[in-house]
């Protein structure tokens, strides 16, 4: 199979500095975060507005890519489950999907939330809806 | 910024052979398709069942990665809009998000739909819900 090269379009700036600080899902109390878009991609933001719901796709860079089964939510009482049947960050290609609302917007940054991705997480795509 | 290497976990087998054949969104009349998972990743499917709704993430390999603004739905009457405010397949990292239902399931294949991705599209991740 081919290999695919992804170029990050931006980066998350967040008060969540460590994985241990982050809730498992955005709606479980995650804060707002800033996303800084790289200069060469900022024209792709044209048309977004404060209040819009968007889907941020991140690269969960601290994940373990060799894990194929997990106990969901890290709870050993949950049966071992294939990662494709979970939302575990550990998976062969650790892409994160985050449904967020835009709170502030400038030429190359957006504040949005709730976002459970930690500080320094690469952003690889932004879409409207699914 | 770092570059990120994605390893496809599988491939789409579909009766949709060309982009021109494919509806823009799955719910716009797309057929079911088969997804074949590569041998080394099949244990990641454990726990999925027929009837489950999942999110397939594909790599839309025929997309133009240099386009940052489009007329939504290819309609010139729609104002030029940044790709991050659209669902255009053309974008710096052409990841496709597809919400589908599992119709059949075996050790290394699943039939699911509706899926607008064409035959030969690489599959890069599978998740439950968003």
């Amino acid at each position: 199979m081919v290999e695919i090269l992804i170029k990050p379009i931006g980066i998350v700036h967040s008060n969540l500095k460590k994985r241990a600080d982050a809730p498992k899902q955005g709606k479980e109390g995650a804060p707002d975060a800033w996303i800084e878009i790289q200069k060469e991609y900022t024209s792709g933001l044209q048309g977004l507005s404060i209040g819009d719901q968007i889907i941020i796709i991140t690269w969960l860079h601290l994940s373990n890519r060799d894990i194929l089964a997990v106990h969901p939510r890290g709870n050993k009482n949950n049966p071992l489950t294939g990662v494709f049947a979970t939302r575990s960050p550990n998976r062969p290609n650790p892409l994160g999907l985050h449904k967020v609302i835009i709170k502030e917007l400038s030429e190359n940054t957006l504040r949005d939330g709730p976002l459970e991705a930690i500080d320094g997480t690469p952003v690889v795509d932004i879409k409207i809806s699914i």
Side-chain angles (χ1 to χ4, degrees), chain A:
Chain A
M1 280 244 174
V2 296
E3 290 183 329
I4 294 165
L5 200 59
I6 288 211
K7 303 167 284 187
I9 61 163
I11 192 164
V12 172
H13 298 293
S14 175
N15 289 331
L16 298 173
K17 303 298 183 191
K18 296 180 300 190
R19 272 182 76 165
D21 298 338
K24 293 195 188 304
Q25 304 299 330
K27 61 190 173 194
E28 296 173 4
D32 291 345
W34 286 94
I35 290 174
E36 179 184 354
I37 302 294
Q38 288 197 272
K39 283 273 183 298
E40 64 263 46
Y41 299 120
T42 54
S43 64
L45 298 175
Q46 183 68 37
L48 291 177
S49 302
I50 291 171
D52 286 353
Q53 180 178 274
I54 55 174
I55 294 173
I56 309 260
I57 308 181
T58 59
W59 181 257
L60 303 169
H61 60 303
L62 300 185
S63 298
N64 184 330
R65 302 181 68 177
D66 296 322
I67 289 178
L68 285 172
V70 296
H71 295 283
R73 302 192 63 82
N75 182 342
K76 290 273 192 285
N77 293 327
N78 291 327
L80 203 60
T81 304
V83 291
F84 303 136
T86 76
R87 288 179 48 92
S88 169
N90 298 315
R91 51 184 60 242
N93 296 304
L95 294 163
L97 299 183
H98 315 273
K99 194 183 283 185
V100 298
I101 303 287
I102 300 176
K103 310 288 183 71
E104 291 183 53
L105 190 61
S106 74
E107 193 193 349
N108 70 328
T109 58
L110 44 159
R111 182 167 68 86
D112 56 76
L115 188 67
E116 75 278 19
I118 67 170
D119 193 58
T121 300
V123 173
V124 300
D125 200 8
I126 297 173
K127 288 182 192 293
I128 51 159
S129 80
I130 181 169

